[in-house]
Amino acid sequence: MPRRRREGGTARGGGEKRAYDCYRRRRRRAADLPKGPTLTDTFPRPEWLETARFYEVYPQSFADSNGDGIGDIPGITAHLDYIRDLGCNALWINPCFDSPFKDAGYDVRDYLKVAPRYGTNDDLIALFDAAHRRGMHVLLDLVPGHTSEEHRWFDISGRAERNEYSDRYIWTDTWLSDGGGLPFIGGEAPRDGAYIINFFKCQPALNYGFARVDRPWQQTTDSPAAQATRQAMIDVMRFWIGQGCDGFRVDMANSLVKHDDDGKAETIRAWRQMLGTIKSEYPQTAFVSEWGVPDQSLKAGFDMDFYLDWSWERNGYNRLCRDTPAALDAEHDRSYFSARGGGSVHGFLDQYLPQYERTRDKGYFCLLTCNHDTPRLAPRLSERELAVAYAMILTMPGVPFLYYGDEIGMRYRVLPTKEGGYTRTGTRTPMQWGDGANLGFSSADPADLYLPVDPAPDAPTVRSQSERADSLYHWVRAVLALRDAHRALDAGAAFDVVAAPEDGRLFAYLRTAADGGERLLVAVNPGLSAESCTLPDHATSDGAPTMVLTRGDAVLDGESLTLGAQSVAVIAV
């Protein structure tokens, strides 16, 4: 029989009290920092982000420590050495708060309590402590735009009589309302009104106000209700920082204020208030936004923004990694990393470079191998194609994010929806650790697993990949070790394009350390023919360019580099 965990966890018991005491001390140390940010304030950027390398963990699918078929927090803690030895020194954990899991945890029922299926608050505090002892940082996933319909706030808000939570959510003033152009649900609460939702029916929108008010029931962004919502979210962040959390990835960060303009002026103002308050108290707390527009998100106070896969716009990241509407369609894929894609890197650069140039001194625009919302690159891309892709993604400016299992080439699979995952479900399957039952993920009966493991005889595992010297796993370790060892690959190190021919596949760029003391040329060729480029004008101090890391065929001939098909070279110049 699988062992049972303690349910829940007290807010101030055991390790939580120790973390709360630490939280109080940290607040006292920050007491003399400025409060009340204005639009001209510059928020502190945590120093540790400059050398951070993140690993995203989908908690229900990473490691099951108690044999119930669902991954959990003790399972993550037990594998911290694996993550560290892989070369990542920071984690982003998808939502682990109490939830009915109608949207895989992005429907939060209690922001201050770990979901019992993952463990307790004490388990999460133990994870923070274990990570910190290893020199690692941990970000939690914050969902500020909506809660579950089962949240206590929403239950009280839906009562007929006025109360302190009546305006915590966006309610119309009559059950016959049209919602003002926003999706709404009616007929489910005693009060005479319908509630606005963000996505699913179970996700009522929190009230951050309206930038443009055109209905009597809409409130401004400066209303007491909107201010109370901001304060509630500040309190949530303070609580977890006090327990040892190092920051947050913020879900749909650009969607808080309704009817905002294209520039997101009011949403930016709301975030500057919230993040300014937290950063004035905890300057080393880090925030990364699901926004995809760094001009806006970094102005809002975030330290990092993701370059998101917006396939409906065929944006730069999409053209780099996933230029096909079908997750498994390798034949028609025209992405840069597809060996037969045929295109140059300009589909990516033409959009990336203007954004990078406008924001490079304001924060980090971050690339990711994949995430929980996006089809994995495998099996559409082969292991050789993945190696070229990861070499570039993990050495570009900004802070890199590696999705769990991408280091071994875990595959996207077409599966029935689970907990609101729909087409995303196939990216959320259990981590493949080794041989035996459930590929080492869980001791549970296969029928009880959160999702089925890959049944293919050649399913990649950590064990099989670690035993093969030329595997994707060892290549990812080598690239991350390179980034760790060289300041020219730090998040804010300079970036200059050296070669990006319009009619070729090769892409070469120079990374230069902040002190100018080290320069690395990174060159990738995802194509099927050899291509060459000229090295930058001046060489290293000893007068000779030096190969630092290669995969495939790479030849230095004087001031010229020739890369064979699907090859990578990193050169000190």
Side-chain angles (χ1 to χ4, degrees):
M1 294 289 291
R3 67 182 185 273
R4 297 177 62 86
R5 291 196 190 91
R6 291 172 295 154
E7 294 294 314
T10 60
R12 295 287 181 262
E16 299 176 38
K17 183 179 187 304
R18 292 192 297 275
Y20 180 65
D21 292 340
C22 176
Y23 155 69
R24 295 179 63 190
R25 291 195 297 273
R26 290 166 75 182
R27 288 202 67 189
R28 285 197 293 270
R29 286 197 297 269
D32 58 342
L33 292 171
K35 303 295 192 295
T38 69
L39 286 175
T40 60
D41 286 341
T42 299
F43 298 156
R45 190 185 311 159
E47 291 92 346
W48 60 269
L49 287 179
E50 190 65 14
T51 56
R53 302 170 301 281
F54 274 91
Y55 191 85
E56 180 189 350
V57 173
Y58 194 66
Q60 49 267 66
S61 293
F62 191 61
D64 172 20
S65 72
N66 70 345
D68 64 0
I70 301 176
D72 47 45
I73 290 169
I76 301 171
T77 304
H79 288 84
L80 285 177
D81 287 343
Y82 168 80
I83 297 170
R84 180 198 60 192
D85 294 344
L86 179 65
C88 292
N89 58 5
L91 287 76
W92 155 30
I93 301 175
N94 291 113
C96 57
F97 306 133
D98 182 45
S99 169
F101 291 100
K102 295 179 181 178
D103 188 16
Y106 284 93
D107 48 328
V108 178
R109 184 163 52 199
D110 187 342
Y111 286 107
L112 306 185
K113 177 185 176 183
V114 167
R117 77 182 195 181
Y118 296 141
T120 66
N121 285 23
D122 283 338
D123 289 329
L124 187 52
I125 292 166
L127 170 62
F128 296 148
D129 291 343
H132 295 160
R133 288 196 301 271
R134 291 164 172 80
M136 304 170 75
H137 293 83
V138 182
L139 301 189
L140 297 180
D141 212 321
L142 182 69
V143 187
H146 54 264
T147 69
S148 164
E149 63 187 347
E150 297 182 21
H151 197 292
R152 182 180 65 91
W153 294 345
F154 186 70
D155 176 65
I156 301 172
S157 183
R159 295 174 185 174
E161 69 278 4
R162 290 287 301 174
N163 58 73
E164 63 175 314
Y165 295 107
S166 291
D167 297 324
R168 178 59 51 87
Y169 299 84
I170 305 174
W171 292 88
T172 65
D173 54 4
T174 172
W175 65 280
L176 292 173
S177 173
D178 64 359
L182 297 170
F184 66 96
I185 300 292
E188 295 206 357
R191 70 183 291 170
D192 182 16
Y195 62 91
I196 304 301
I197 61 170
N198 276 347
F199 300 104
F200 296 162
K201 171 258 180 190
C202 63
Q203 294 168 320
L206 287 165
N207 182 16
Y208 290 87
F210 284 72
R212 185 185 71 258
V213 172
D214 56 20
R215 298 287 194 283
W217 46 267
Q218 296 169 357
Q219 300 176 348
T220 69
T221 55
D222 291 321
S223 66
Q227 291 296 320
T229 303
R230 297 183 197 182
Q231 186 59 54
M233 208 50 57
I234 289 170
D235 290 342
V236 169
M237 291 187 278
R238 279 178 174 151
F239 176 83
W240 286 112
I241 295 168
Q243 310 304 304
C245 171
D246 298 298
F248 301 89
R249 174 266 189 185
V250 178
D251 180 68
M252 295 300 294
N254 63 342
S255 66
L256 300 190
V257 174
K258 304 306 181 186
H259 291 174
D260 209 352
D261 58 28
D262 290 341
K264 298 293 182 179
E266 286 300 316
T267 300
I268 289 171
R269 193 161 70 94
W271 275 118
R272 287 187 67 84
Q273 178 182 344
M274 291 186 287
L275 297 184
T277 300
I278 292 296
K279 283 177 169 289
S280 69
E281 299 170 2
Y282 311 107
Q284 291 303 307
T285 301
F287 291 87
V288 57
S289 58
E290 185 187 25
W291 198 305
V293 184
D295 288 358
Q296 297 175 0
S297 60
L298 300 181
K299 185 186 298 182
F302 286 93
D303 305 294
M304 305 173 278
D305 190 18
F306 286 124
Y307 205 155
L308 297 170
D309 176 26
W310 291 337
S311 57
W312 55 88
E313 294 184 6
R314 295 186 76 232
N315 75 333
Y317 185 81
N318 171 251
R319 296 188 182 204
L320 188 70
C321 294
R322 301 180 180 87
D323 202 353
T324 174
L328 300 177
D329 184 7
E331 180 182 356
H332 300 97
D333 183 14
R334 294 296 175 262
S335 66
Y336 175 66
F337 291 132
S338 170
R340 294 172 177 80
S344 77
V345 76
H346 277 272
F348 164 74
L349 286 181
D350 290 349
Q351 190 190 64
Y352 171 79
L353 282 176
Q355 297 183 88
Y356 168 74
E357 291 295 337
R358 288 194 299 267
T359 61
R360 61 181 179 177
D361 298 323
K362 301 173 183 176
Y364 306 121
F365 197 23
C366 303
L367 296 181
L368 60 160
T369 60
C370 181
N371 69 16
H372 60 289
D373 283 333
T374 304
R376 291 187 189 268
L377 299 186
R380 180 173 46 81
L381 297 185
S382 68
E383 183 171 307
R384 192 164 179 177
E385 289 168 323
L386 289 173
V388 176
Y390 295 166
M392 176 178 162
I393 289 171
L394 298 177
T395 59
M396 285 285 283
V399 180
F401 282 76
L402 177 68
Y403 188 51
Y404 83 96
D406 277 357
E407 71 273 17
I408 59 172
M410 278 181 59
R411 302 157 178 161
Y412 176 80
R413 297 168 57 213
V414 178
L415 294 172
T417 186
K418 176 75 171 185
E419 296 184 347
Y422 296 96
T423 58
R424 304 170 297 178
T425 302
T427 294
R428 302 173 176 185
T429 55
M431 180 65 176
Q432 296 159 199
W433 293 104
D435 302 329
N438 304 318
L439 300 182
F441 164 70
S442 172
S443 62
D445 186 292
D448 294 331
L449 295 186
Y450 174 75
L451 286 171
V453 299
D454 190 340
D458 64 344
T461 66
V462 172
R463 180 173 178 177
S464 63
Q465 289 263 315
S466 63
E467 291 174 348
R468 180 161 59 88
D470 63 346
S471 69
L472 183 65
Y473 166 79
H474 283 296
W475 174 245
V476 170
R477 285 191 69 187
V479 175
L480 288 172
L482 182 79
R483 184 161 185 136
D484 179 43
H486 293 273
R487 300 288 65 78
L489 296 179
D490 284 352
F495 167 78
D496 297 283
V497 174
V498 172
E502 291 276 4
D503 58 354
R505 306 302 308 282
L506 186 139
F507 176 40
Y509 49 94
L510 189 67
R511 303 294 313 279
T512 305
D515 63 3
E518 180 185 50
R519 304 195 316 157
L520 292 181
L521 178 78
V522 180
V524 299
N525 176 16
L528 296 174
S529 302
E531 296 191 32
S532 301
C533 69
T534 301
L535 300 184
D537 291 339
H538 58 283
T540 58
S541 57
D542 63 6
T546 305
M547 288 281 194
V548 177
L549 183 67
T550 61
R551 187 178 179 97
D553 299 322
V555 177
L556 273 175
D557 183 11
E559 296 300 312
S560 177
L561 168 67
T562 299
L563 271 187
Q566 297 179 286
S567 296
V568 177
V570 181
I571 305 167
V573 296

